[in-house]
Amino acid sequence: MKKLPEDFIFGGATAAYQAEGATKEGGKGPVAWDEFLEKQGRFLADPASDFYHKYPEDLELCSMFGVNGVRLSIAWSRIFPEGTGRINPEGVKFYHDVLAEAKKYGIKVFVTLHHFDTPKALFDQGDFLNRDTLDAFADYAKFCFEEYPEVEYWTTFNEIYPIATNQYLLGIFPPGIKYDLTKVIACLHNMMVAHARVVNLFKENGYSGQIGVVHSLETKYPASDAPEDIHAAFLDDALSIRFLLDATYKGGYSKETLEALDEICAANNASYDFPEEDFVELEKAKDRNDYLGINHYSSHFVKAYNGENAIHHNGTGDKGTGSYKVKGIGERIYKEGLERTDWDWLIYPQGLYDLLMRIKRDYPNYKAIYITENGMGYKDDFKNGIIMDEPRIDYIRKYLTSVADAIEDGVNVKGYFLWSLMDVFSWSNGYNKRYGLFFVDFETQERYPKESAYWYKHLAETKTIL
Ligand code: BGP
């Protein structure tokens, strides 16, 4: 029986576009997703979980179920409908109201500035491939820091790596481009520079509160002991983990990271060019991150692969339909005997422990870590208002045990946010991939606590993982 620290945060995570709905309400400006989803014709981000209207109920549920932290994001285009310039007072007020409601219950709120939802006007000009977007993002961040002094924890970006790869490698996020490694690398780098600029601005202006970034970090292991598989895992790791952690905590990219990048570029006919002055920003910011947010769901076993790029995203929950082969990096394989979800996400809690220990070892200036997302996408069974989600409880139990083990071994993890607080809309999967503690009937918008919500309440009250 494992214990977690007394002051640990037992939170729930959401994101504006996935929870709020109301995409055309309250003066909100468009995002690229609106049109992208309409064209795709599978599902829309309305109604999502209607958090825009239901937030008082959701926050009350938090207080009833021991959830003492909430992660949410501000929709940039609710504040600046065109991304820059004109401000929408209704949007500004909405987040004051949400924050005040959370305060009523003493819930700690972690606010992300950007969770996959660049305003359309900026997106159409190249999103973060266009350096003007970095200026716009800094202006938007500054506005928020000054407007919302009630926020204690700020996050610049949610998941830079999935943004870059889903937009330009897998093509499952707008603009839907596939296999363009030049764009992937430019996007990764530019967003890291934008993060550093905003951290520097935050610290140099002396705003109160803490600031950090949320990275999606999924541990990579070689598929076998063969040297070429070990190298493939190294390359996959270099692009998805080392690149970002180097930029966050080392102020630049290590020699190994750049060598990996060069190899990946050579195989994919790609290139990069990082302006010198960017490293001044990265260097200044490297010790100024108050915390690192880690989103971690899965790990990957990687095998050498030199064939053509071939990725198929399992966005339907038909187990076994996903595949991931990237030329000059590797192929992610399903390792025999290891469990995975219906969406082919490997369940491997050891991966989280190994990742946490590695950060402590390789990036000792990390200060504090929050697990800002972890959870299990599951086709919940709803029977007369009762949802028995044992597999999800089992998943959370195992991953939290890895967190407790890492804390015992000296890693400073201060909180955990389950993805997701209530069922929300999933970007590339729609509405049948549920993660919430609270089941949402998307027709009526009624909420129903799942079995996991009762389990989580007990956990939060006793700090004991049962
Ligand atoms: C993370 C995102 C979340 C959320 C989660 C689950 O990458 O930050 O926004 O969607 O993954 O992913 P999915 O909805 O694809 O199952």
Side-chain angles (χ1 to χ4, degrees):
M1 217 165 50
K2 290 270 171 192
K3 276 268 197 195
L4 286 158
E6 270 312 305
D7 60 351
F8 200 74
I9 295 180
F10 295 92
T14 67
Y17 199 67
Q18 295 177 269
E20 288 174 7
T23 63
K24 296 185 175 69
E25 232 181 288
K28 185 180 190 295
V31 295
W33 278 99
D34 302 338
E35 202 179 280
F36 184 81
L37 293 173
E38 266 162 40
K39 277 200 186 135
Q40 203 177 58
R42 282 179 72 201
F43 37 72
L44 298 172
D46 280 306
S49 337
D50 197 24
F51 186 73
Y52 190 70
H53 300 106
K54 302 282 275 192
Y55 70 88
E57 194 177 320
D58 289 328
L59 294 169
E60 191 185 356
L61 277 170
C62 286
S63 82
M64 287 164 65
F65 282 82
V67 179
N68 62 353
V70 161
R71 209 186 140 221
L72 52 83
S73 74
I74 292 181
W76 182 350
S77 73
R78 267 197 205 288
I79 310 274
F80 292 96
E82 288 87 34
T84 54
R86 182 175 69 87
I87 291 164
N88 171 36
E90 227 178 310
V92 174
K93 179 174 178 305
F94 171 67
Y95 294 106
H96 278 301
D97 293 347
V98 174
L99 292 163
E101 195 71 14
K103 197 172 171 205
K104 248 172 54 182
Y105 299 110
I107 299 168
K108 285 194 187 305
V109 185
F110 279 57
V111 178
T112 306
L113 288 166
H114 181 280
H115 195 125
F116 302 171
D117 57 350
T118 308
K120 189 167 188 316
L122 297 171
F123 192 92
D124 288 349
Q125 288 164 36
D127 198 17
F128 280 90
L129 298 178
N130 181 338
R131 300 281 294 200
D132 291 346
T133 306
L134 279 66
D135 298 333
F137 181 67
D139 291 346
Y140 156 60
K142 186 164 188 285
F143 174 86
C144 291
F145 298 152
E146 283 169 9
E147 180 65 36
Y148 300 107
E150 64 268 49
V151 173
E152 206 182 327
Y153 299 92
W154 289 104
T155 300
T156 51
F157 290 112
N158 177 71
E159 298 197 344
I160 292 173
Y161 179 78
I163 291 176
T165 49
N166 288 336
Q167 293 191 179
Y168 308 118
L169 179 68
L170 281 73
I172 57 172
F173 282 14
I177 294 172
K178 284 187 110 170
Y179 311 132
D180 190 332
L181 266 301
T182 299
K183 287 196 169 63
V184 168
I185 295 167
C187 178
L188 290 173
H189 175 77
N190 286 348
M191 292 189 79
M192 280 314 308
V193 175
H195 160 75
R197 278 180 57 179
V198 168
V199 166
N200 291 330
L201 178 142
F202 185 83
K203 294 295 176 187
E204 282 160 22
N205 285 326
Y207 299 120
S208 68
Q210 302 197 12
I211 191 159
V213 61
V214 166
H215 288 314
S216 159
L217 304 174
E218 306 204 311
T219 317
K220 309 293 182 287
Y221 299 96
S224 79
D225 292 340
E228 59 273 24
D229 290 349
I230 294 175
H231 190 62
F234 162 75
L235 291 174
D236 201 352
D237 177 90
L239 190 65
S240 59
I241 298 185
R242 286 179 78 117
F243 187 91
L244 296 170
L245 291 180
D246 281 4
T248 310
Y249 287 113
K250 289 189 188 294
Y253 309 113
S254 65
K255 190 169 143 281
E256 291 81 4
T257 307
L258 289 174
E259 279 168 9
L261 216 58
D262 290 342
E263 198 179 326
I264 293 167
C265 283
N268 286 279
N269 207 7
S271 61
Y272 61 87
D273 181 22
F274 305 143
E276 249 333 287
E277 68 267 20
D278 290 353
F279 295 98
V280 178
E281 289 289 349
L282 294 177
E283 180 62 36
K284 248 201 290 180
K286 76 178 198 303
D287 295 317
R288 288 174 158 177
N289 297 284
D290 295 303
Y291 66 89
L292 169 67
I294 297 180
N295 292 356
H296 179 100
Y297 292 87
S298 189
S299 289
H300 300 286
F301 287 81
V302 193
K303 195 172 131 189
Y305 180 75
N306 292 304
E308 286 309 309
N309 288 315
I311 300 178
H312 179 75
H313 170 69
N314 170 359
T316 53
D318 295 318
K319 206 169 183 163
T321 54
S323 65
Y324 186 97
K325 299 174 192 174
V326 180
K327 186 158 91 183
I329 300 183
E331 171 181 359
R332 297 177 180 172
I333 60 145
Y334 300 133
K335 194 127 173 101
E336 281 294 304
L338 293 181
E339 276 181 282
R340 54 187 211 275
T341 70
D342 286 345
W343 287 264
D344 295 317
W345 292 21
L346 190 72
I347 303 176
Y348 194 68
Q350 178 73 31
L352 181 54
Y353 174 82
D354 290 345
L355 173 76
L356 291 168
M357 295 307 288
R358 173 217 187 154
I359 290 170
K360 173 174 172 280
R361 186 191 65 220
D362 294 348
Y363 302 92
N365 56 336
Y366 73 89
K367 294 188 193 161
I369 291 175
Y370 293 89
I371 306 301
T372 36
E373 282 183 34
N374 171 253
M376 187 188 183
Y378 187 64
K379 296 167 191 160
D380 283 306
D381 200 13
F382 180 92
K383 282 210 183 84
N384 302 324
I386 295 171
I387 306 103
M388 299 302 288
D389 56 344
E390 265 305 324
R392 178 174 293 113
I393 296 173
D394 195 48
Y395 177 104
I396 306 171
R397 182 190 289 123
K398 287 180 183 152
Y399 274 93
L400 267 177
T401 301
S402 281
V403 172
D405 288 344
I407 293 174
E408 257 171 46
D409 292 339
V411 186
N412 187 27
V413 187
K414 297 178 71 66
Y416 173 94
F417 293 79
L418 180 78
W419 183 270
S420 45
L421 180 62
M422 63 296 201
D423 292 337
V424 295
F425 158 77
S426 166
W427 309 94
S428 59
N429 311 282
Y431 290 93
N432 80 333
K433 192 177 189 187
R434 293 172 180 269
Y435 283 92
L437 286 179
F438 306 114
F439 185 95
V440 175
D441 177 332
F442 292 108
E443 304 262 306
T444 63
Q445 292 298 337
E446 284 297 309
R447 272 73 169 143
Y448 301 85
K450 301 179 191 174
E451 185 63 14
S452 55
Y454 294 97
W455 184 88
Y456 205 68
K457 179 175 177 4
H458 185 268
L459 166 79
E461 283 167 2
T462 60
K463 332 280 177 215
T464 307
I465 308 169
L466 278 191

